[in-house]
Amino acid sequence: MIEMISSLVEGILLAIPSSADKKINKNFRLLRKEVWYRKLLYRHGTLIQLNDSLRHFIGQYDIESIINDYEKLIIFQADLKKVLVDENL
């Protein structure tokens, strides 16, 4: 009985997103508004958002400022494609 309660509590605690996960999810929401990213999702599927390396990569950036700066966006897109190739996605 105690084991069942402890596993239930552990499951609840793991379901609460960390601040890093919140930032990553926000970045994905911002990216989904972009046509070029939606094309990537169409080509690779939404499962790319579950890839740990890709999530870490997305979490490192301030997507809002990148979207508003064309030069940064081009560099970000190239780096993102490298991650996709490296991860065989």
Side-chain angles (χ1 to χ4, degrees):
M1 182 71 162
I2 293 175
E3 291 177 20
M4 186 172 79
I5 292 172
S6 66
S7 65
L8 179 64
V9 170
E10 180 182 359
I12 290 171
L13 291 176
L14 291 175
I16 299 171
S18 67
S19 61
D21 284 336
K22 288 178 184 178
K23 180 183 179 189
I24 292 168
N25 292 336
K26 177 186 173 194
N27 285 349
F28 276 125
R29 278 193 303 275
L30 290 170
L31 285 172
R32 277 188 233 116
K33 294 178 183 178
E34 299 296 310
V35 173
W36 64 268
Y37 183 75
R38 287 196 304 264
K39 288 179 183 178
L40 271 178
L41 284 179
Y42 180 76
R43 190 175 324 132
H44 297 284
T46 55
L47 291 178
I48 64 172
Q49 295 177 331
L50 299 176
N51 181 282
D52 287 334
S53 296
L54 187 66
R55 289 183 66 78
H56 178 73
F57 174 80
I58 296 293
Q60 292 178 1
Y61 290 93
D62 178 11
I63 299 298
E64 199 165 358
S65 69
I66 289 173
I67 289 172
N68 295 321
D69 185 337
Y70 182 74
E71 291 175 6
K72 287 181 183 179
L73 182 60
I74 297 300
I75 294 168
F76 175 79
Q77 288 173 334
D79 291 344
L80 178 60
K81 287 179 184 178
K82 276 188 216 174
V83 172
L84 291 172
V85 168
D86 290 346
E87 292 296 311
N88 296 321
L89 296 174

